């Protein structure tokens, strides 16, 4: 039996998604788990296999031998022999309806993915595929994409999962209760949650850095782990972004610079004065499809059908993990003491850093982990000031005052305690009946004023 890379075991919300698939599908579909490199896909699936099945086989197609590949190539018409050979090769008995076969890093061997249709129809065992870059065009050339796949994206740990990793389950529960009851936490607990959120902002949600921090609270070690991941992503660009790797690298390198601006929209002129979205759209797609970034597109006309109003020429490009953004934005220091000092200064607000960049990226990360596609709204009308506004995020959500029908909830992110809310006021006035609950996510405690809810930053994952 192959083993996955040595990732730490953490409590992940994705585990429940796997359980639901197993119980509901009963072998009628395979589950495809996508996600960035080092986000913990293999570890999660192997943990699930160990707990929920009598036996399992994990086939890592990034390292597997040609002999195993030949089993897939040569035995597709004889499933009895195919399963016998797999069982013998991995020295693992297979039990009908109680064994799981895992196709790990399946993008390295598309033939196996094409075989899923036949295996699911056979019905003897369950199948999970994992991979990054799995849907990029060069990884599906020449194969028939199986319709018997359910897709699931595994994101970096959200703030609640980070609290679980630190043994702060009671605080995580208190935050959820406070959000659902719309009652603020006591001041001391609010301060503790806010401080832990700042730690999460620096560490991020990639499993290895989180496990390092939980074990050592050593920011230098955390930073080393994050920089290895960033190096891995750069190597992936060179390896997989064939023909446009220079454009992908240019976009990737400028993400911190673009997010540090007031409006945070990606300005293509920063790449080249002649740059056009039609020339760089593939680069933005590649980064998003590899789950390295969370792209947030402008909705030209905000209503619950946000996808229909998507303006792909205007976007904000967030890092999928805020901890990686921190390491990307700040050059590596010389020695461990330098790295720890930089992190401590950011943690305690002693270093001049763009808090708005980190706060907005963090909220984007939480919303994406909660399953939202990301949209924002902006309007600039020089002749009508009441129509000039910028709304950070738009969410379709049930609205109690409209009998729980879907409305657009505008979300504004504030990184400081002193701010204005003119854009929210203008948005509500202009779009009126389309607008549901309005949210301000800020460093202060929870409060409510009519249909506007002010949430502390540590509740962004609750939305």
């Amino acid at each position: 039996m192959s083993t996955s890379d040595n990732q730490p075991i953490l409590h992940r919300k994705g585990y429940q998604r796997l359980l639901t698939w197993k119980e509901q599908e009963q072998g009628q579909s395979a589950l495809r788990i996508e996600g960035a490199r080092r986000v913990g896909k293999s570890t999660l699936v192997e943990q699930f296999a160990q707990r929920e099945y009598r036996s399992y086989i994990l086939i890592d197609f990034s390292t597997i031998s040609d002999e195993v590949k030949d089993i897939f190539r040569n035995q597709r018409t004889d499933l009895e022999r195919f399963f016998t050979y797999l069982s013998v090769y991995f020295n693992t008995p297979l039990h009908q309806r109680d064994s799981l076969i895992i196709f790990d890093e399946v993008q390295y061997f598309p033939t196996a993915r094409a075989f899923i249709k036949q295996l699911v129809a056979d019905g003897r065992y369950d199948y999970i595929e994992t991979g990054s870059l799995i849907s990029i065009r060069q990884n599906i050339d020449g194969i028939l994409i199986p319709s018997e796949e359910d897709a699931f994206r595994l994101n970096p740990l959200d703030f609640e999962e980070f609290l679980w990793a630190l043994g702060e389950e009671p605080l995580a529960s208190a935050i959820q209760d406070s959000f659902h009851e719309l009652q603020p936490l006591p001041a001391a607990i609010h301060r503790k949650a806010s401080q832990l959120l700042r730690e999460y902002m620096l560490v991020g949600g990639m499993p290895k850095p989180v496990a390092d921090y939980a074990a050592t609270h050593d920011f230098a070690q955390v930073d080393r782990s994050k920089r290895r991941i960033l190096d891995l992503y750069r190597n992936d660009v060179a390896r997989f972004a064939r023909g446009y790797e220079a454009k992908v690298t240019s976009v990737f390198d400028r993400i911190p610079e673009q997010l540090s601006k007031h409006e945070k929209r990606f300005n293509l002129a920063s790449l080249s004065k002649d740059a056009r979205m039609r020339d760089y759209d593939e680069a933005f797609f590649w980064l998003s499809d590899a789950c390295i970034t969370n792209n947030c597109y402008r909705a030209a006309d905000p209503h619950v059908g946000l996808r229909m109003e998507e303006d792909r020429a205007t976007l904000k490009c967030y890092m999928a993990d805020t901890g990686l953004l921190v390491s990307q934005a700040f050059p590596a220091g010389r020695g461990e003491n330098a790295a720890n000092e930089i992190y401590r200064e950011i943690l305690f607000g002693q270093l001049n850093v763009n808090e708005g960049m980190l706060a907005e990226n963090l909220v984007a990360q939480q919303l994406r982990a909660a399953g939202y596609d990301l949209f924002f709204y902006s309007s600039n009308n020089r002749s009508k000031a009441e129509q000039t506004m910028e709304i950070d995020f738009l969410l379709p959500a049930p609205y109690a005052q409209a009998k729980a029908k879907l409305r657009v909830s505008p979300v504004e992110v504030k990184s400081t305690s002193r701010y204005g809310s003119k854009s929210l006021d203008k948005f509500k006035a202009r779009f009126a009946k389309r607008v549901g609950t309005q949210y301000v996510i800020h460093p202060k405690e929870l409060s409510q004023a009519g249909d506007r809810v002010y949430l502390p930053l540590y509740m962004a994952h609750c939305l």
Side-chain angles (χ1 to χ4, degrees), residues 16-44:
Q16 184 57 49
R17 174 68 178 84
L18 301 186
L19 270 179
T20 300
W21 163 78
K22 180 178 187 289
E23 293 167 0
Q24 291 183 349
E25 292 299 308
Q26 295 292 313
Q28 296 182 62
S29 71
L31 185 65
R32 187 182 78 247
I33 303 180
E34 296 181 343
R37 298 281 295 276
R38 298 295 182 264
V39 81
K41 302 181 297 294
S42 301
T43 301
L44 174 65

Side-chain angles (χ1 to χ4, degrees), residues 263 265 297-302 311 314 316 376-381 387-392 394 427 430-431:
E263 291 185 337
R265 280 174 282 177
Y297 291 96
R298 178 178 177 268
D301 184 23
D311 172 14
T314 309
K316 295 184 282 189
F376 73 100
Y377 179 75
S378 66
S379 174
N380 189 3
N381 191 325
Q387 293 186 12
T388 297
M389 67 192 84
E390 181 93 14
I391 303 296
D392 296 326
L394 302 174
F427 188 85
R430 183 175 182 186
F431 297 107

Side-chain angles (χ1 to χ4, degrees), residues 159-178:
F159 181 54
E160 186 168 43
E161 291 171 303
F162 178 77
L163 291 178
W164 294 343
L166 296 188
E168 295 283 354
E169 290 89 351
L171 176 58
S173 297
I175 290 171
Q176 286 284 355
D177 291 343
S178 174

Side-chain angles (χ1 to χ4, degrees), residues 171-189:
L171 176 58
S173 297
I175 290 171
Q176 286 284 355
D177 291 343
S178 174
F179 171 78
H180 290 295
E181 296 168 6
L182 289 180
Q183 294 294 323
L185 291 169
I189 299 178

